[in-house]
Amino acid sequence: MATLEATAIPGLRFRPQYPTSNTPCARLARPSGRKIRRLSLKCSLVGQQQQVEEEEQVSKTAAFTEEENALINALIGIQGRGRSATSPKLQEVERAVQKLENLKGVADPTGSSLIEGRWQLMFTTRPGTASPIQRTFVGVDSFSVFQEVYLRTDDPRVSNIVKFSDLIGELKVEAVASIKDGKRILFQFDRAAFSFKFLPFKVPYPVPFRLLGDEAKGWLDTTYLSQSGNIRISRGNKGTTFVLQKETEPRQRLLSTISNGRDVREAVDEFLTLNQSNGKGELELVEGEWLMIWSTQEETESWIENAAKGLMGKQIVRPNGDIKFLVDILFGFKFSMTGKYTKSGFNTYDVTMDDAAIVAGPYGIPAEMETKFTLELLYTDERIRISRGYGKILFVHVRVDAALQK
């Protein structure tokens, strides 16, 4: 835990829409005389104010530029905050990062109030090569990792926080901080402790910072800070890159909830409600390789049954109506099941899977299986898909094929 970079455990609610019939205007009785005009004007102003507030809320939560959205899209589906990302995926993220860094963003980030506050760590390079904390916690999706930056106080500090859960608690590692220039923060770790919800006191983290000397010191450059204050890119003294956000977009929040494994169904329903209100029209089945990351049905003891239902592995969609389920078993063996899909209605496709085999390289052992179901698209874009499949099971897939990284 020699540097901030080494530990770099750095950093919508959806407003309910009220029907018009329930607004204060609708509940007012119609008085007579000039008061009608005055009350109507008041209701009109109230309605306009509510609309402006809602538009401002949407603008605030969606305050990402085109280049920032390109980075967010590159991060969609990455697990372990980069630890398990493929080389093409890492290259896509790095290209998006460099493009933002070339745009400069806020000119003097350490002198801006936008850098202050709690940031959530979304991605880091070299997450398995630094301190024990970073190797142990940063790559675990079920933990949330934050960085707090407070430079305009009598005791300026940068703190790295690992939040285990709302029920368990967190680990907070703190450093005394100072500003060197418009981009660089100098720091020295001096204290750390676990705060467990079930204990009335803090448990010290067993690292003697005072004995570490220069090993407890480091620096952190902010190479991009968005004008909205929602995205920050930093590079540490060991060359590690960090992507942090204050505000995350709905897809990121959904995938984070799936990683945490808590209240996932509620998060999916909320996400679908938000996007249904956007009225995007009819959805199309997007070709590519889609990895199943969550479903409403638990896997059974029969892995071949799980594979045939699409409860594990990848779903490969081709533009000519071909579809394949592909599951890695072990030692190079895979389960493969191919079939056809045809459009059958609004957002629906009829799927027939009837060619199954256990394959290893060029060889295969056929399996007599057939699965038929209707695939209903509930949400889809180039990165994430939510659908109902076999047995009305709800699925969430993320797209993982190399075409996205080109």
Side-chain angles (χ1 to χ4, degrees), residues 376-394:
E376 180 186 4
L377 297 176
L378 303 177
Y379 173 86
T380 188
D381 59 28
E382 290 295 321
R383 301 281 174 165
I384 186 172
R385 187 181 77 201
I386 304 176
S387 62
R388 284 194 182 94
Y390 181 89
K392 299 295 183 180
I393 300 171
L394 194 64

Side-chain angles (χ1 to χ4, degrees), residues 332-377:
F333 285 86
K334 301 177 184 290
F335 171 82
S336 173
M337 191 173 188
T338 60
K340 292 283 187 179
Y341 66 91
T342 57
K343 190 167 181 59
S344 58
F346 187 78
N347 293 344
T348 61
Y349 293 80
D350 287 338
V351 180
T352 300
M353 309 295 293
D354 55 9
D355 186 6
I358 307 297
V359 298
Y363 306 102
I365 303 174
E368 292 294 330
M369 303 181 68
E370 183 178 82
T371 303
K372 293 184 178 181
F373 59 92
T374 297
L375 176 66
E376 180 186 4
L377 297 176

Side-chain angles (χ1 to χ4, degrees), residues 110 178-186 219 221:
T110 59
S178 62
I179 298 174
K180 180 179 181 181
D181 54 39
K183 291 185 178 296
R184 180 163 295 184
I185 298 173
L186 304 177
W219 52 261
D221 284 346

Side-chain angles (χ1 to χ4, degrees), residues 133-333:
I133 287 185
Q134 192 171 356
R135 288 195 300 269
T136 303
F137 299 124
V138 170
V140 181
D141 282 325
S142 59
F143 300 154
S144 298
V145 183
F146 301 93
Q147 183 180 79
E148 290 182 345
V149 179
Y150 293 104
L151 304 175
R152 290 159 182 77
T153 67
D154 294 335
D155 183 23
R157 287 188 170 271
V158 175
S159 302
N160 300 322
I161 301 165
V162 178
K163 185 177 180 180
F164 305 115
S165 74
D166 291 333
L167 296 177
I168 297 176
E170 66 183 31
L171 166 64
K172 187 173 185 178
V173 183
E174 300 184 53
V176 177
S178 62
I179 298 174
K180 180 179 181 181
D181 54 39
K183 291 185 178 296
R184 180 163 295 184
I185 298 173
L186 304 177
F187 61 86
Q188 181 172 357
F189 290 109
D190 64 346
R191 64 192 184 204
F194 292 92
S195 296
F196 295 115
K197 297 291 186 178
F198 48 84
L199 292 178
F201 53 86
K202 294 183 178 181
V203 178
Y205 183 72
V207 173
F209 292 109
R210 293 181 181 179
L211 300 180
L212 292 178
D214 290 342
E215 290 297 316
K217 300 179 181 178
W219 52 261
L220 190 69
D221 284 346
T222 297
T223 55
Y224 178 79
L225 177 62
S226 66
Q227 298 290 343
S228 64
N230 283 335
I231 292 183
R232 174 163 63 96
I233 300 172
S234 293
R235 295 185 184 265
N237 52 289
K238 287 191 175 181
T240 304
T241 302
F242 306 104
V243 177
L244 308 100
Q245 292 179 229
K246 280 185 181 175
E247 292 285 345
T248 53
E249 61 118 74
R251 292 177 302 170
Q252 291 177 301
R253 291 192 289 276
L254 173 60
L255 295 178
S256 176
T257 302
I258 291 174
S259 296
N260 292 335
R262 295 184 293 272
D263 301 323
V264 178
R265 181 58 189 266
E266 291 79 2
V268 172
D269 290 341
E270 187 177 41
F271 179 87
L272 291 174
T273 299
L274 173 70
N275 284 280
Q276 285 171 355
S277 65
N278 292 337
K280 292 185 176 181
E282 188 168 10
L283 305 175
E284 297 292 334
L285 190 59
V286 179
E287 64 179 279
E289 297 183 14
W290 296 86
L291 178 67
M292 201 284 293
I293 60 172
W294 179 83
S295 75
T296 50
Q297 178 169 313
E298 297 291 335
E299 294 182 5
T300 66
E301 294 182 358
S302 171
W303 67 265
I304 196 167
E305 180 182 349
N306 296 327
K309 292 180 179 179
L311 290 172
M312 56 198 305
K314 295 179 183 177
Q315 189 179 98
I316 302 174
V317 180
R318 302 301 184 198
N320 58 358
D322 290 337
I323 187 169
K324 175 190 287 188
F325 293 167
L326 189 63
V327 179
D328 290 323
I329 305 173
L330 70 161
F331 305 127
F333 285 86

Side-chain angles (χ1 to χ4, degrees), residues 14 40 53 94 147:
F14 306 122
S40 298
E53 289 176 353
E94 183 60 26
Q147 183 180 79

